[in-house]
């Protein structure tokens, strides 16, 4: 079986298993996703969703957040960890959005990468979820599962995993596929316990269990 054939099987199985899989960060505007994805580094999405409620209550738009004192932002986002660097990046990012993009998030991958605290994972998430563009989000779940299943071969570097997946995942499937990997990684193909292979929908084709 080629990796392209394996990818198609895994995509179809996960689609049936998690038909409604979506981003687990709460947001209703693009700039809020930008903030949340920065806060989510080394923090759970569930905690981020709680913390940002207070942040947006005090700073309801890009202008307000861009003018906020970094120390005040840090005081709110500290429960997400790495408070100083995250607050600094959020403040700088909002200032750029206000001054260069009229308060809007740029619809360009390279422009997103140029924003403080935005890496490839974050930029891909925004391109896929906000703008509906082809995207592959190589978070820890994606890296772990694609290696276990056999879609990539012992690659741990996020960018290298992303590049390998671009070759075998249809562009229109990438974003949703990565969301489904998150759900599957949390519920079945877990990291901190032994994976629950007995109830895995791709166990028969997985390199770890099926071959």
């Amino acid at each position: 079986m080629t990796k392209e054939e394996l990818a198609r099987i895994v995509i179809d199985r996960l689609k049936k298993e998690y038909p409604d899989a979506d981003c687990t960060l709460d947001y209703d505007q693009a700039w809020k996703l930008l903030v949340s994805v920065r806060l989510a580094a080394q923090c759970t999405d569930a905690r981020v969703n709680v913390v940002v409620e207070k942040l947006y209550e005090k700073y309801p738009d890009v202008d307000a957040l861009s003018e906020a004192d970094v120390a005040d932002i840090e005081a709110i986002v500290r429960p997400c960890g790495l408070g100083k660097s995250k607050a600094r990046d959020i403040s700088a990012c909002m200032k750029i959005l206000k001054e260069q993009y009229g308060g809007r998030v740029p619809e360009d991958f390279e422009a997103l990468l140029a924003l403080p605290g935005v890496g490839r994972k974050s930029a891909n998430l925004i391109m896929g979820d906000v703008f509906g563009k082809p995207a592959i989000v190589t978070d820890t779940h994606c890296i772990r599962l694609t290696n276990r299943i056999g879609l990539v071969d012992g690659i741990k570097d996020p960018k290298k995993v992303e590049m390998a997946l671009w070759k075998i995942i249809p562009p229109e499937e990438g974003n949703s596929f990565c969301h489904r990997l998150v759900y599957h990684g949390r519920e079945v193909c877990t990291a901190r316990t032994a994976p629950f292979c007995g109830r895995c929908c791709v166990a028969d084709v997985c390199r770890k269990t099926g071959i």
Side-chain angles (χ1 to χ4, degrees), residues 142-200:
C142 176
I143 295 169
R144 183 176 74 257
L145 269 65
T146 55
N147 273 281
R148 280 181 178 173
I149 293 168
L151 294 173
V152 300
D153 300 315
I155 306 173
K156 303 300 183 182
D157 179 78
K159 184 177 180 181
K160 290 181 180 178
V161 172
E162 179 192 337
M163 295 301 107
L165 292 177
W166 277 120
K167 296 176 182 178
I168 61 173
I169 304 294
E172 69 276 8
E173 298 285 0
N175 191 53
S176 296
F177 172 65
C178 291
H179 284 319
R180 293 187 174 102
L181 289 177
V182 171
Y183 279 67
H184 197 60
R186 288 175 178 172
E187 298 178 16
V188 178
C189 198
T190 51
R192 296 186 179 181
T193 65
F196 299 97
C197 300
R199 54 186 174 89
C200 176

Side-chain angles (χ1 to χ4, degrees), residues 197-211:
C197 300
R199 54 186 174 89
C200 176
C201 62
V202 298
D204 62 312
V205 294
C206 176
R207 176 167 55 192
K208 181 177 175 62
T209 57
I211 299 175

